[in-house]
Amino acid sequence: MISSCVYAFDPKNRPVKDAEPGETLTFETLDCFSNEIQKEDQLITSFDYNRANPASGPVYLTGAEPGDILTADIKSIEVAGHGVVTTLPEVGPLADRMAVRTKVLKLSGGYTEFNGLKMPVRPMVGVIGVAPEKGSVPCGFPGSHGGNLDSKLMEAGAKAYFPVRTAGALFQLGDLHAVMGDGELCGTGLEIAGKVTAVLGLIKKTRLDWPVLETADKWYVMASDLDYTKALTWASRQMQELISKAYGWDVTDAYFYLSLWGDLEINQACQPCPVPLVLRLGIPKIPGKPLI
Ligand code: CA
Ligand code: ZN
């Protein structure tokens, strides 16, 4: 069980576990407030942001080197019996039309209940990725290394692909959500502690610039930036390159395909916010034609 945590993605973080490709790993994770907000009278304004978004790990993947791809098969996600959602001052489109408030919601029988309405629990991993090449990226921020990708599709059964930038890759994850809508408008989902079982894999010497997510029926590229147009550009270029390479098409045909059969979706866009928005650009999975 991997339970010690860090607050940044950093090639200088000391690995807490060495793993072989194919090994099954279990991560025990705190919620994004380090489990420090437990009651509705505890407001985010009294929380120390240095303790936000802990990620469990990092794991040193044997044989992983810059220029490789680390894969993470998410096998299962177990979540605790209750979660917390908070509004954040000056975050999100309704920041000037809300109170700073904390809600604690209980889970039972696969559902949670909000003001008398039942919502299905759909556990997902918010923070997941590998160390950047250099420097330190707080776990609350997304980037080309992964990080706070906040996709509701990062769930059991999905497989994520990350570009390895340092020896051993230094994989870590945390920030589970029991429920979250695309966009995560107020800046939090139903933040919750839990356990994730994942199998890490290694694809040698294969270029990737941004994280990719493989779901049951689609391939997605996930890209982020404070500027929506830039995030869209990064995701589109990465997808164009992957399609061209996998299908043997030129860049223009890849562009046509993206326009005809690609879907642009939002992971997290609680703007205005100091955290870059994250979008995902997806294409259908075609049998016998893997994108990676
Ligand atoms: Ca998050
Ligand atoms: Zn979260």
Side-chain angles (χ1 to χ4, degrees), residues 18-140:
D18 288 356
E20 297 294 325
E23 198 174 327
T24 300
L25 302 170
T26 303
F27 298 80
E28 191 171 36
T29 60
L30 302 172
D31 75 16
C32 75
F33 307 118
S34 292
N35 292 7
E36 287 171 13
I37 299 180
Q38 294 291 322
K39 295 191 183 135
E40 298 198 337
D41 62 6
Q42 290 177 284
L43 297 182
I44 187 74
T45 40
S46 62
F47 175 69
D48 174 5
Y49 276 93
N50 291 319
R51 297 185 51 75
N53 288 298
S56 298
V59 173
Y60 187 102
L61 182 64
T62 306
E65 294 168 308
D68 299 341
I69 294 173
L70 174 146
T71 63
D73 266 292
I74 303 173
K75 297 295 186 188
S76 66
I77 306 175
E78 277 174 53
V79 288
H82 71 279
V84 179
V85 58
T86 72
T87 45
L88 306 171
E90 293 171 34
V91 167
L94 301 178
D96 62 342
R97 294 172 167 233
M98 58 86 173
V100 173
R101 188 177 293 166
T102 299
K103 281 256 192 194
V104 177
L105 304 184
K106 290 200 176 95
L107 277 60
S108 128
Y111 287 86
T112 188
E113 201 174 297
F114 179 86
N115 290 356
L117 298 180
K118 272 177 131 187
M119 286 183 215
V121 167
R122 194 173 161 178
M124 52 156 276
V125 182
V127 169
I128 182 168
V130 297
E133 184 186 349
K134 54 183 190 245
S136 181
V137 184
C139 290

Side-chain angles (χ1 to χ4, degrees), residues 135-180:
S136 181
V137 184
C139 290
F141 283 71
S144 63
H145 66 292
N148 193 12
L149 294 172
D150 273 337
S151 171
K152 70 180 187 186
L153 302 182
M154 195 69 75
E155 58 188 344
K159 181 174 184 176
Y161 298 70
F162 299 99
V164 176
R165 303 249 163 87
T166 195
L170 302 184
F171 175 83
Q172 60 200 41
L173 62 75
D175 182 31
L176 307 184
H177 299 170
V179 174
M180 192 195 93

Side-chain angles (χ1 to χ4, degrees), residues 69 73 98 132 140 151 169 200 210 212 217 219 225 235 237 256 272 279:
I69 294 173
D73 266 292
M98 58 86 173
S151 171
L200 300 187
W210 287 93
V212 164
D217 53 2
W219 292 97
D225 202 283
R237 286 181 180 175
F256 278 137
L279 49 77

